[in-house]
Amino acid sequence: MSLDSSLKAGGGLKRHRNVLTRPERIELLAKKDAFDKKQGDPLGLPKVGNRKLTTGKK
């Protein structure tokens, strides 16, 4: 019996994730100058959209 590809171990998180971890959100906000790493409070961060853009099929 074969194992479904979504259940296979290894490779970590290769899929697209809509929910970002706090360090990932801080990095994105810092790039946009919306968060100061030295004085900013890491609690209560604004939501950050992480959309995967797909193009239409031909």
Side-chain angles (χ1 to χ4, degrees):
M1 180 181 284
S2 63
L3 186 64
D4 187 72
S5 63
S6 66
L7 300 175
K8 290 182 182 178
L13 296 172
K14 289 186 177 180
R15 291 183 175 184
H16 174 75
R17 295 177 294 132
N18 289 328
V19 179
L20 299 178
T21 62
R22 183 175 286 137
E24 291 172 336
R25 290 188 351 209
I26 289 174
E27 287 298 320
L28 284 175
L29 291 171
K31 286 180 185 177
K32 296 178 182 179
D33 294 329
F35 182 79
D36 183 18
K37 288 185 177 182
K38 294 182 181 179
Q39 297 179 355
D41 185 18
L43 302 177
L45 292 172
K47 292 182 180 181
V48 177
N50 188 27
R51 304 292 186 256
K52 181 178 179 182
L53 300 177
T54 57
T55 58
K57 295 183 179 180
K58 291 184 179 179

